[in-house]
Amino acid sequence: MKVKKWICLICCISFTGSALAFNNQVTAGIERWTWSDKYEEDSGFTIEGDYTQDVIFAGYTYFLSPVEDNGAPLDLLTFYSRSGYVYGDFYTGDRDYDEDDTDYTSEKDWTGLGLGGLFYFTPDTGIGAGFFTQDGDWEDNDAVEDDSYDEDRDGWHVFARHYLDDSNRLSVRLSQTDRERDFADGFDRSDEYRWFILSYDGVMGESPNIFLGVDIGEGSRDKDDSNDNEVDHDLTKLGVTVGPVYRNFAIYFSYDYYEWDPEKDGVWEADETYYTISPRYWFSEQLMLGGDLSRYSWDESGDGYDFKESGTGIEIKARYRF
């Protein structure tokens, strides 16, 4: 009889204890975008085209202290853990463009690498940093004029994160990205993007938990070229993510809006918008399969013309923890 009681006790402990504590997380996936653009002048001159873009990516994160499964929704374990980490990302992609009613086509490909991390110097507050580098080229197949170019992108970011309590945190982030294009005819162009973003992330309620994230940011974009032409913009960002999160399932709804305001008259202005639905399903404490379904639009107006883009994107990714 005593033996049976001990067996029952051991079984209860085995099934009610923490199922997982992990230090490692691997993410990999694919992404496809398709969209169309239309350039139209006031005189009636019009150019239209179609894009297809594919990206493959993979990343590894090592958590400096184990992330415990404390019974919270699996998708939010890293949010609650407050564990520092280091990470590395790799991605590669290509894009094809076909212009309607002409023989013009172009192809672009790129490869990138990112590294970074986060360190908590108090239980509630951490600082982090990261950088990325990307190399690519654009092959122009226009028989009249060669607009091919090589492109290099480099960027960095630093951020600070502070938990107000177990379920609410604030972050500030400063970033810069530099893009250099060297055209086949010797023409050079550089773009510099800077951002300052304030973020809030919080979890409310139980069964399900309701996740809420808000980003508010200000930035700038400065463009220079070999002809000493300068085109500068002030940038504004507003992003909102919200959604229910269960133990094994989560679905997020996101809205991201960017406004491009010219710093002087005669320069184009634009609005950029993304709508995204992001389901996540955890088959176990270790394995997740998820994706993003996105809708994108770009509306640009300049001196005597309008330029519009619209498209859809789908991303499928898997995540494994151990």
Side-chain angles (χ1 to χ4, degrees):
M1 189 66 180
K2 291 183 178 181
V3 174
K4 290 183 179 179
K5 289 182 179 180
W6 278 110
I7 292 175
C8 292
L9 179 60
I10 293 172
C11 290
C12 288
I13 294 174
S14 298
F15 285 102
T16 58
S18 178
L20 177 70
F22 62 90
N23 288 88
N24 306 277
Q25 179 172 280
V26 177
T27 303
I30 57 175
E31 176 185 282
R32 162 158 281 213
W33 279 88
T34 58
W35 72 93
S36 302
D37 65 18
K38 181 178 181 180
Y39 173 88
E40 185 174 17
E41 295 182 350
D42 293 346
S43 62
F45 175 75
T46 302
I47 298 176
E48 297 182 63
D50 299 295
Y51 291 85
T52 301
Q53 177 175 297
D54 295 296
V55 178
I56 300 173
F57 59 89
Y60 169 74
T61 302
Y62 178 76
F63 294 93
L64 303 179
S65 58
V67 178
E68 301 284 347
D69 181 358
N70 57 5
L74 294 171
D75 213 54
L76 296 178
L77 292 185
T78 56
F79 173 84
Y80 286 116
S81 72
R82 307 193 196 186
S83 175
Y85 59 81
V86 291
Y87 72 86
D89 294 327
F90 172 81
Y91 58 92
T92 183
D94 62 78
R95 179 187 302 173
D96 296 324
Y97 174 75
D98 294 304
E99 193 172 281
D100 297 350
D101 303 323
T102 71
D103 295 329
Y104 175 71
T105 62
S106 59
E107 300 175 355
K108 184 177 183 179
D109 62 77
W110 60 91
T111 299
L113 174 69
L115 297 171
L118 167 68
F119 174 74
Y120 281 93
F121 58 89
T122 75
D124 297 328
T125 306
I127 56 173
F131 82 94
F132 79 92
T133 182
Q134 175 182 307
D135 296 321
D137 64 87
W138 179 276
E139 296 294 334
D140 187 17
N141 299 319
D142 187 355
V144 178
E145 183 178 0
D146 187 4
D147 287 329
S148 301
Y149 59 81
D150 295 326
E151 180 179 275
D152 295 324
R153 297 192 188 201
D154 298 288
W156 57 266
H157 68 267
V158 294
F159 65 96
R161 175 179 295 176
H162 177 72
Y163 280 84
L164 303 175
D165 53 39
D166 289 342
S167 301
N168 299 274
R169 76 183 182 197
L170 294 176
S171 303
V172 291
R173 175 186 176 104
L174 178 66
S175 66
Q176 179 172 314
T177 298
D178 298 301
R179 181 176 66 179
E180 301 286 343
R181 289 179 174 178
D182 298 325
F183 288 82
D185 61 1
F187 182 78
D188 296 332
R189 171 181 160 181
S190 64
D191 297 85
E192 185 177 84
Y193 299 85
R194 300 187 192 92
W195 280 103
F196 178 80
I197 296 176
L198 175 65
S199 302
Y200 163 81
D201 297 302
V203 181
M204 300 167 287
E206 294 182 3
S207 301
N209 295 265
I210 304 300
F211 177 82
L212 173 64
V214 180
D215 295 331
I216 301 175
E218 294 287 342
S220 63
R221 180 258 194 177
D222 303 325
K223 181 186 80 70
D224 298 301
D225 60 37
S226 297
N227 295 331
D228 295 326
N229 295 318
E230 297 184 4
V231 178
D232 301 331
H233 286 87
D234 292 323
L235 308 178
T236 304
K237 176 187 179 180
L238 172 63
V240 178
T241 299
V242 64
V245 186
Y246 298 86
R247 170 64 176 173
N248 289 79
F249 176 73
I251 183 167
Y252 306 103
F253 302 90
S254 301
Y255 167 78
D256 291 285
Y257 171 76
Y258 299 86
E259 186 174 74
W260 298 59
D261 290 325
E263 292 188 0
K264 61 182 180 179
D265 295 335
V267 178
W268 56 268
E269 59 183 0
D271 297 322
E272 184 179 8
T273 309
Y274 294 85
Y275 297 93
T276 305
I277 301 175
S278 306
R280 307 279 188 267
Y281 185 77
W282 289 88
F283 292 90
S284 67
E285 291 86 350
Q286 294 177 278
L287 179 63
M288 183 276 289
L289 183 64
D292 296 331
L293 299 174
S294 302
R295 180 68 179 174
Y296 157 79
S297 66
W298 172 277
D299 192 347
E300 175 186 326
S301 59
D303 187 11
Y305 78 89
D306 290 311
F307 178 71
K308 300 181 183 296
E309 289 185 335
S310 62
T312 56
I314 180 170
E315 177 185 284
I316 299 174
K317 61 184 173 185
R319 179 164 291 158
Y320 184 72
R321 296 168 171 173
F322 60 98

